[in-house]
């Protein structure tokens, strides 16, 4: 495909984190961009401010006339869009050029030197760190991110077309459309079993992804794939040692296959972020960036929105927002919070994401959620699914081994949080809980 010949690009699901980074990219490239999304959000507001037309009702008559010319219009959609979507079916039925997000990313990576970050956890932080390192080092690179970088207030770090940094998403086997030169795999925990059926099938797809890497593959130590490895206090090719915490920052040494750099510092909580930093360092170093330049960039990395984001941070009250929606991620967040606030009472507020994921990992969710002192559970966010009989928030709550646990409606959440009297509030989940965080923050701030 020659993207130079295409003037109009229409997105079905434009407000999604991965879709919007492409929309921003094509708008900045001079394309005519518009699209549909289900609900308004901070992202759609940003798109509108950039001159991208967005509407929120599914209607063929709402598509501007210029996007109904199939000769110079490309349509990009996300698999999260339902199959009966009127606009998407209009484009399919009229033989428009319609591609999934992963397919257009695949086209971009074919025409650039691609650094791809895969894994069921850690890929957003790792790829954003990597994009920041390349940008800081003056590399001609554009990074497509799965989160909003605090440094750039965007999910796109716009540079040149020579190098691309992408999240290699395993959902729907999307990452098999990419053409990676250097890649890493951060984790391969079972997830997306609604797509894969069995964990073995998920592992098989990661192996297929690894086989596509042309130059260098780096994997977390212990994963069953033959490649360079990264880890913490292990016999890994890229290994972090001598870890210490000072004023909420991690300081550590890193040994690479050829040299050692001492006193690398990151201003992010949680040992899992040390691991993410080592993965980003390994990829950047493999590309040819020197260790001192990498360390300087990591020092100025400020994080990602909804990844252990402090919304309130005072001596008496802390509110943390995080995207964690898998048991492994919740365990990492709970551990990081406990490390930062060992003597304070911590309440977790969790919105389960997907009925199938809740069912498949119910016992693991129960264990990870039991790491808080108290738990407030919201109803399951359905996303792309219909309810599954017997799989409810009450069913999950019953498995949690905490004395102080309850279900709350969204409407009553603020009052429920107030009654807990916890000093540290951790709001986690991948649904619309991120919108609730703003409301809770505003109410807590105004009343305190």
């Amino acid at each position: 495909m020659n993207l130079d010949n295409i003037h109009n690009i229409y997105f079905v699901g434009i407000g999604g984190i991965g879709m919007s980074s492409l929309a921003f990219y094509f708008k900045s490239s001079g394309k005519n961009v518009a699209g549909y999304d289900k609900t308004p959000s901070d992202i759609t507001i940003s798109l509108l401010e950039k001159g991208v037309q967005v509407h929120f009702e599914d209607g063929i008559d709402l598509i501007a006339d210029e996007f109904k010319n199939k000769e110079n219009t490309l349509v990009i959609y996300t698999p999260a869009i339902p199959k009966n979507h009127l606009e998407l079916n209009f484009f399919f039925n009229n033989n428009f050029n319609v591609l999934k997000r992963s397919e257009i990313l695949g086209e971009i990576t074919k025409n650039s030197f691609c650094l791809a970050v895969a894994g069921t956890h850690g890929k957003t932080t790792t790829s954003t760190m990597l994009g920041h390192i390349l940008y800081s080092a003056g590399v001609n690179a554009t990074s497509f991110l799965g989160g909003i970088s605090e440094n750039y207030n965007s999910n796109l770090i716009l540079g040149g077309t020579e190098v691309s940094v992408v999240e290699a998403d395993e959902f729907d086997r999307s990452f098999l459309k990419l053409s990676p030169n250097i890649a890493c795999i951060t984790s391969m925990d079972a997830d997306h079993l609604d797509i894969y059926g069995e964990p073995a099938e998920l592992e098989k797809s990661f192996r297929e992804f690894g086989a596509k890497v042309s130059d260098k593959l780096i994997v977390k130590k212990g994963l069953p794939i033959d490649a360079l490895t990264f880890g913490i206090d292990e016999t890994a090719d890229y290994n972090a040692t001598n870890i210490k915490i000072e004023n909420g920052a991690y300081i550590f040494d890193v040994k690479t296959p050829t040299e050692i750099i001492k006193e690398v510092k990151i201003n992010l909580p949680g040992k899992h972020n040390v691991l993410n930093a080592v993965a980003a360092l390994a990829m950047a170093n493999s590309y040819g960036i020197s260790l001192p330049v990498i360390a300087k960039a990591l020092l100025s990395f400020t994080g990602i929105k909804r990844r252990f984001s402090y919304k309130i941070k005072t001596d008496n009250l802390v509110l943390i927002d995080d995207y964690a929606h898998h048991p492994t991620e919740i365990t990492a967040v709970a551990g990081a919070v406990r490390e930062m606030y060992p003597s304070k009472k911590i309440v977790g507020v969790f919105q389960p994401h997907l009925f199938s994921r809740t069912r498949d990992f119910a016992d693991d969710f129960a264990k990870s959620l039991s790491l808080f002192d108290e738990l407030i559970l919201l109803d399951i966010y359905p996303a792309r699914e219909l309810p599954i009989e017997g799989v409810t928030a009450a069913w999950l709550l019953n498995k949690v081994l905490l004395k102080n646990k309850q279900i709350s409606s969204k409407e009553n959440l603020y009052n429920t949080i107030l009654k807990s009297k916890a000093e540290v509030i951790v709001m986690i989940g991948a649904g619309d809980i991120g919108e609730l965080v703003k409301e809770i923050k505003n109410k807590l701030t105004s009343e305190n």
Side-chain angles (χ1 to χ4, degrees), residues 182-184 215-222 227-241 243 252-261 264 274-291 294 298:
I182 296 171
C184 84
D215 293 19
K216 201 170 280 187
L217 176 64
I218 306 153
V219 305
K220 183 177 177 290
K221 179 74 175 181
L228 289 167
T229 57
F230 70 93
I232 296 174
D233 290 327
E234 297 184 271
T235 53
D237 296 296
Y238 291 86
N239 187 38
T241 59
I243 297 173
F252 51 95
D253 303 337
V254 181
K255 178 191 76 68
T256 78
T258 58
E259 55 188 318
I260 294 173
I261 183 164
V264 176
V274 175
L275 205 55
N276 293 332
V278 177
L281 178 149
M283 293 186 75
N285 192 230
S286 295
Y287 179 71
I289 298 173
S290 72
L291 294 179
I294 295 170
L298 287 172

Side-chain angles (χ1 to χ4, degrees), residues 347 349 374-376 378 406-422 425 427 436 439-444 446-448:
V347 60
V349 182
E374 244 183 87
L375 176 66
I376 299 168
L378 298 172
Q406 61 183 301
I407 290 173
S408 174
S409 65
K410 292 179 189 176
E411 295 72 24
N412 202 40
L413 180 58
Y414 175 67
N415 291 329
T416 308
I417 287 172
L418 277 190
K419 284 174 190 166
S420 89
K421 294 189 166 55
I425 305 154
M427 296 183 66
L436 289 173
E439 179 191 327
I440 299 299
K441 177 195 171 180
N442 291 339
K443 285 183 176 177
L444 287 170
S446 63
E447 295 206 10
N448 288 277

Side-chain angles (χ1 to χ4, degrees), residues 51-181:
V52 175
Q53 291 304 307
V54 183
H55 60 263
F56 303 99
E57 287 180 37
D58 176 18
I60 295 163
D61 57 329
L62 296 174
I63 303 168
D65 287 343
E66 62 259 43
F67 294 96
K68 290 179 179 174
N69 177 356
K70 66 181 177 186
E71 302 308 319
N72 65 358
T73 299
L74 170 66
V75 179
I76 302 171
Y77 76 102
T78 167
I81 292 291
K83 290 185 167 54
N84 61 353
H85 196 271
L86 297 176
E87 292 185 21
L88 186 57
N89 280 299
F90 165 79
F91 290 120
F92 275 130
N93 295 337
N94 288 282
N95 299 316
F96 275 72
N97 197 354
V98 182
L99 295 177
K100 285 184 186 176
R101 170 184 166 268
S102 56
E103 292 172 314
I104 195 68
L105 260 185
E107 288 296 322
I108 290 168
T109 62
K110 263 184 212 168
N111 298 309
S112 60
F113 189 95
C114 173
L115 292 93
V117 182
T120 42
H121 326 293
K123 59 181 173 286
T124 297
T125 302
T126 303
S127 57
T128 307
M129 283 178 168
L130 178 59
H132 177 62
I133 292 166
L134 296 187
Y135 185 87
S136 302
V139 175
N140 185 354
T142 291
S143 301
F144 301 88
L145 309 172
I148 305 296
S149 161
E150 298 275 13
N151 288 83
Y152 306 91
N153 194 32
S154 177
N155 53 351
L156 179 74
I157 305 175
L158 197 59
T161 55
E162 193 179 308
V163 177
S164 58
V165 174
V166 299
E167 280 195 36
D169 190 2
E170 74 281 358
F171 173 73
D172 205 27
R173 297 179 171 83
S174 292
F175 57 0
L176 299 182
K177 304 286 186 189
L178 302 175
S179 300
N181 299 88

